[in-house]
Amino acid sequence: MTAAGPPRYTGDARPYAGGDPYADYRTPGPAGFPFTHLPDLADRRLGAGVLAANDEFFAERENLLRPEPARFDPGAFGHKGKIMDGWETRRRRGTDAAHPFPADEDHDWALIRLGAPGVIHGIVVDTAHFRGNSPTAISIEGTRAEGSPSPAELLAADTAWTTLVPRTVIGGHAANGFAADTGRRFTHLRLNQYPDGGVARLRVHGEVVPAPGRLAALGTFDVVALENGGRVEDASDRFYSSPLHTILPGRPRRMDDGWETRRRRGTGNDWVRYRLTEQSVIRAVEIDTGCLKGNSAGWAALSVRNGERGDWTELLPRTRLQPDTVHHFLPAGAPPATHVRLDVFPDGGIARLRLHGSLTEEGARRLGARHDALNG
């Protein structure tokens, strides 16, 4: 990283020469970008989708949001040409033989619905394996459109778009990262690529800002779920998989779809600290060790606190866990809380944590005020 922000890559990457297709992949290094610890608001597991694109001749737009890294098979060809794991458009042409190149303003576009509306802090436009066929430049715009607008509604002349990333030259076969702090809440993005080409993945890192009206209508909901504005603040270990997985929607589908630590030798234990949607009272707890069979946590305990400097209060004492099981608990007399700490003993993993409860009056007021401020 440089003082000026994320590194910038330009131009084509070298042709694939065999061996590891990621060997010359351009990234900011082991530390990554300063915003990638935040959840991906465009994660399909949250309900994100690519609603439309003006062209997807070579590769489908839906590939943009696949959660796994892009793959490359040098021998994979179809009737339209090389099969790429990304979104790729056909080559643009000019108006006639005297003007063979596209005009400067010509571009392709894709409309993305965020899985969870929120404040965007950084975006990664990943052109992995697009070496000589990536766009020259990109730009990204955001808008707030509540409900489920159609592509036609989003493309209407009266839709107000805010520039998140101005037209910027990017590089092929590279993780192109952009800081995008606007201090506003967005629901949809428009990715523009100039003049054409391919993008492998789009990641949109930020903070979820839920709609207070929906949560109020629910009454009791999962107050730590990512889609409801819960977040992971810190964890003791992320060796095998991220603690963020524990607050994703749905049940785990395989072992790495949860949080798993390295094997601990000696004393101590592993833990995750969460921030709730807002100040809440927890009424029911679920700890799911699904798909973790020989490596689930042996015991777990939960503590809560109110405020950044409040004292921790035990909510669930140290309790034995079973592998590949959903455990249900009904804690009595839970105090109002803004944070929860999950301790596992001595190590291992859990797949999901569900904390069912409701906002306090103070929590609902603060959540509503933040939502209104970020909606601008």
Side-chain angles (χ1 to χ4, degrees):
M1 304 301 296
T2 65
R8 289 285 175 262
Y9 308 106
T10 59
D12 299 338
R14 299 183 64 180
Y16 175 62
D20 178 7
Y22 271 104
D24 59 342
Y25 175 61
R26 294 177 283 182
T27 75
F33 296 109
F35 45 74
T36 50
H37 65 287
L38 296 169
D40 180 7
L41 304 183
D43 192 326
R44 282 198 58 83
R45 293 169 292 185
L46 286 174
V50 185
L51 301 179
N54 71 302
D55 186 289
E56 48 186 326
F57 184 87
F58 286 113
E60 296 83 359
R61 64 183 191 262
E62 288 85 0
N63 291 332
L64 278 171
L65 305 187
R66 294 180 66 175
E68 68 274 8
R71 297 181 179 180
F72 181 71
D73 180 352
F77 285 84
H79 293 294
K80 293 183 178 180
K82 183 73 186 70
I83 297 174
M84 296 295 290
D85 185 5
W87 168 52
E88 185 180 6
T89 65
R90 72 192 79 202
R91 299 187 188 216
R92 281 182 171 267
R93 299 301 187 216
T95 55
D96 52 47
H99 306 88
F101 294 104
D104 181 66
E105 67 274 12
D106 287 349
H107 66 279
D108 293 319
W109 53 263
L111 292 176
I112 295 94
R113 177 191 64 238
L114 298 180
V119 178
I120 298 168
H121 292 289
I123 299 174
V124 179
V125 178
D126 187 348
T127 56
H129 314 304
F130 288 91
R131 294 172 175 272
N133 53 346
S134 61
T136 300
I138 62 92
S139 67
I140 300 172
E141 301 161 281
T143 191
R144 178 174 59 86
E146 305 297 347
S148 303
S150 68
E153 291 170 323
L154 291 170
L155 294 171
D158 60 351
T159 300
W161 291 91
T162 299
T163 298
L164 302 176
V165 179
R167 183 170 175 172
T168 305
V169 174
I170 65 169
H173 195 44
N176 299 276
F178 306 91
D181 290 304
T182 65
R184 294 181 58 189
R185 179 177 178 267
F186 294 100
T187 62
H188 295 77
L189 299 185
R190 182 163 60 189
L191 169 63
N192 303 304
Q193 59 173 354
Y194 301 84
D196 53 36
V199 173
R201 297 289 188 268
L202 179 71
R203 307 298 189 215
V204 184
H205 297 280
E207 300 175 67
V208 176
V209 181
R214 181 181 70 86
L215 298 182
L218 292 173
T220 296
F221 59 94
D222 184 355
V223 297
V224 78
L226 178 59
E227 61 195 294
N228 294 331
R231 70 188 79 167
V232 172
E233 287 197 331
D234 201 1
S236 61
D237 189 289
R238 294 175 169 85
F239 191 84
Y240 285 113
S241 49
S242 171
L244 179 64
H245 294 165
T246 62
I247 56 175
L248 286 175
R251 292 212 63 217
R253 297 184 178 182
R254 56 187 206 180
M255 190 174 71
D256 64 348
D257 190 16
W259 170 56
E260 184 188 358
T261 71
R262 74 192 82 196
R263 299 192 185 208
R264 182 176 285 271
R265 310 302 190 192
T267 59
N269 70 283
D270 288 314
W271 52 268
V272 184
R273 187 178 74 246
Y274 303 91
R275 185 177 181 89
L276 305 182
T277 303
E278 244 302 343
Q279 187 187 72
S280 308
V281 175
I282 298 167
R283 297 186 174 88
V285 174
E286 294 179 18
I287 299 177
D288 184 355
T289 56
C291 301
L292 295 159
K293 298 178 179 179
N295 51 353
S296 65
W299 293 263
L302 285 173
S303 302
V304 298
R305 77 179 184 193
N306 190 30
E308 295 289 346
R309 295 179 176 83
D311 295 329
W312 289 102
T313 300
E314 184 178 83
L315 184 69
L316 177 71
R318 191 180 303 189
T319 303
R320 189 76 168 95
L321 299 180
Q322 298 299 322
D324 197 27
T325 300
V326 180
H327 307 78
H328 299 275
F329 306 100
L330 297 173
T338 57
H339 295 74
V340 168
R341 175 175 165 133
L342 168 70
D343 286 279
V344 298
F345 303 88
D347 55 27
I350 68 162
R352 297 289 189 271
L353 175 68
R354 307 295 188 211
L355 302 176
H356 301 286
S358 55
L359 297 173
T360 64
E361 289 187 10
E362 176 65 14
R365 184 192 65 78
R366 293 197 301 237
L367 184 66
R370 181 169 185 257
H371 177 270
D372 292 345
L374 293 172
N375 272 347

